[in-house]
Amino acid sequence: MGDKVTVISTSPSEKHEAIENLSVDSFLVSRGSDQMKAVMDIMNGIIDTESAMHPLVLLIGLLKTNGKLVLVGALEKPFELAAFSLLMCNCPFLGIGGMEGTQEMINFTAKHDITADIEVIPIEYVNTTVERILKADVRYQFVIDIGNTIKTTQ
């Protein structure tokens, strides 16, 4: 859709997949604070899908004034974020939620043929899934098949 897309990850090993399979424009390792500082104030928006605890202040620093940070990862604990960081960023925070917002997002992705790699799990696997999220043993987003009706291709 004409936007420049950057994947931000703590794992340098994910670079090849991000560039080859997801066709992103660039890849940024978030563990290297020098690399993060070199690209401060460049992004109009960030969609944060990480479900493990991570420092938001690094992401906030990447946003341009009035940039948007959308949090879609479900975390076990609330974020820790210094109030000063929020005062300096001048950006609204958006969270995805509710039926109307979720349906709007689904309609948008369908209209623009945006897809995602997912891992379909049966409802009986939910507790194991939570354990995997806490261990950061998650490669793709989970989709819970409550009625066991989705046929997987694996």
Side-chain angles (χ1 to χ4, degrees):
M1 294 180 356
D3 293 325
K4 181 177 177 187
V5 176
T6 300
V7 166
I8 304 170
S9 176
T10 58
S11 303
S13 63
E14 295 178 353
K15 181 176 182 175
H16 177 75
E17 181 179 3
I19 292 174
E20 295 299 318
N21 297 347
L22 303 177
S23 302
V24 300
D25 299 294
S26 57
F27 184 88
L28 182 63
V29 179
S30 63
R31 288 188 185 185
S33 59
D34 291 338
Q35 186 182 14
M36 295 291 279
K37 288 177 186 171
V39 292
M40 299 291 273
D41 192 33
I42 63 160
M43 297 184 178
N44 293 315
I46 296 173
I47 301 172
D48 182 352
T49 63
E50 181 58 60
S51 295
M53 289 303 293
H54 58 286
L56 281 184
V57 73
L58 293 174
L59 297 178
I60 291 169
L62 296 173
L63 290 170
K64 291 181 178 179
T65 299
N66 295 321
K68 293 184 177 37
L69 176 60
V70 180
L71 304 173
V72 295
L75 297 173
E76 179 186 23
K77 300 179 207 170
F79 277 108
E80 292 182 20
L81 187 61
F84 184 75
S85 301
L86 293 175
L87 294 174
M88 297 308 292
C89 80
N90 190 25
C91 64
F93 288 85
L94 304 174
I96 191 165
M99 292 299 288
E100 184 178 333
T102 302
Q103 188 62 56
E104 191 176 319
M105 185 249 334
I106 290 170
N107 294 345
F108 179 85
T109 58
K111 178 180 177 183
H112 296 284
D113 196 29
I114 299 170
T115 62
D117 291 323
I118 60 169
E119 184 174 340
V120 177
I121 61 164
I123 189 67
E124 298 82 17
Y125 191 71
V126 168
N127 289 339
T128 304
T129 302
V130 171
E131 292 169 11
R132 285 183 56 198
I133 290 170
L134 295 175
K135 288 192 263 182
D137 178 31
V138 179
R139 187 160 175 88
Y140 300 112
Q141 298 296 319
F142 289 115
V143 172
I144 303 170
D145 182 10
I146 295 172
N148 291 323
T149 60
I150 299 173
K151 304 289 185 236
T152 61
T153 58
Q154 296 179 349

